[in-house]
Amino acid sequence: MKWNDTIFAILGLLTTGCNTGYEIKQMIDNSLNHFWKISYGQIYPTLKTLTDNELVTVSTKTQDGKPDRKEYLITKKGEVALQKWLQTPLNNLPVEKNELLLKLFFSRHQDQDSTLTLLNDYFKKLRERLHTYQSIEEMIQIHHQSAEDATYWLMTLDYGKHTTTAAMEWCERTIRQIKSNEEEKDE
């Protein structure tokens, strides 16, 4: 079996009460997607791999007027694998792929107004992301405060809020710097 972080992400999601492919996809879209990307096409093949390796079990539930529903449960072997992965040290700091930074790196090849437009658009998207994080935080505090994982969900969310706020501050400084450089050229 090819061990990758997506396998452990799905094992972890099974511990949160997400027991169907649909529930896993919903949790990914509403939570994990902000820091870990898993495509819909990865979910069922990964669940099959987990089942084949006895890290999860699957049962089929009959539903009236609907297709049968497959429910997945993490096994003891799956819990041990998840705990072992959680305790494994990080190999490297993650490398962020950031289209804005890539474009900014080469921005001497475009006019300053285009660069400023990119930065302003990026800032707006960051502000929207921060509002999303604040809404998620409020939802967790209202509806999931008693969940065993809530503290850790909020810690993860706090990281997202801090990095987004820092990126917004960087963006504002960079915009000011570009405008200042442009003013110095005009003098």
Side-chain angles (χ1 to χ4, degrees):
M1 177 168 127
K2 182 182 175 193
W3 294 93
N4 61 43
D5 292 335
T6 298
I7 284 175
F8 296 107
I10 291 181
L11 278 176
L13 286 169
L14 290 170
T15 70
T16 68
C18 297
N19 295 79
T20 66
Y22 176 78
E23 291 169 342
I24 289 169
K25 175 65 174 141
Q26 291 300 110
M27 184 66 130
I28 289 168
D29 288 347
N30 295 324
S31 294
L32 262 63
N33 206 33
H34 297 284
F35 57 90
W36 191 260
K37 304 289 185 202
I38 301 173
S39 72
Y40 189 68
Q42 289 177 283
I43 295 171
Y44 288 101
T46 302
L47 286 168
K48 180 174 180 357
T49 299
L50 292 169
T51 303
D52 291 347
N53 285 276
E54 300 176 345
L55 300 174
V56 303
T57 59
V58 62
S59 61
T60 304
K61 305 286 183 192
T62 305
Q63 303 182 100
D64 291 334
K66 296 180 182 177
D68 291 347
R69 171 180 153 142
K70 288 187 177 184
E71 291 188 358
Y72 298 86
L73 296 174
I74 190 169
T75 63
K76 188 66 177 165
K77 183 177 175 182
E79 289 174 359
V80 169
L82 178 62
Q83 289 170 355
K84 183 178 177 184
W85 173 77
L86 287 167
Q87 294 169 7
T88 303
L90 296 176
N91 291 324
N92 301 302
L93 285 175
V95 176
E96 177 184 6
K97 290 174 86 171
N98 185 313
E99 182 183 2
L100 172 85
L101 293 178
L102 186 60
K103 288 181 177 185
L104 183 62
F105 191 82
F106 297 110
S107 281
R108 80 171 172 86
H109 300 286
Q110 70 174 349
D111 63 89
Q112 297 298 319
D113 286 341
S114 296
T115 302
L116 290 170
T117 298
L118 277 173
L119 287 161
N120 283 312
D121 289 346
Y122 185 66
F123 182 84
K124 288 175 190 170
K125 286 178 172 58
L126 289 168
R127 188 173 43 221
E128 289 169 10
R129 177 183 286 173
L130 184 60
H131 289 304
T132 298
Y133 289 164
Q134 291 165 338
S135 296
I136 293 170
E137 179 180 37
E138 186 176 308
M139 186 264 308
I140 291 170
Q141 290 173 337
I142 292 171
H143 300 291
H144 301 286
Q145 189 63 40
S146 61
E148 290 180 286
D149 295 319
T151 299
Y152 299 102
W153 294 344
L154 290 170
M155 288 175 188
T156 306
L157 192 58
D158 191 51
Y159 176 88
K161 287 171 40 185
H162 275 42
T163 57
T164 302
T165 301
M168 290 171 72
E169 291 168 0
W170 168 85
C171 203
E172 291 174 320
R173 273 193 320 274
T174 302
I175 290 169
R176 284 192 305 270
Q177 183 179 353
I178 289 171
K179 287 179 178 179
S180 175
N181 290 349
E182 192 64 26
E183 288 171 5
E184 288 175 12
K185 283 182 185 178
D186 291 341
E187 291 178 0

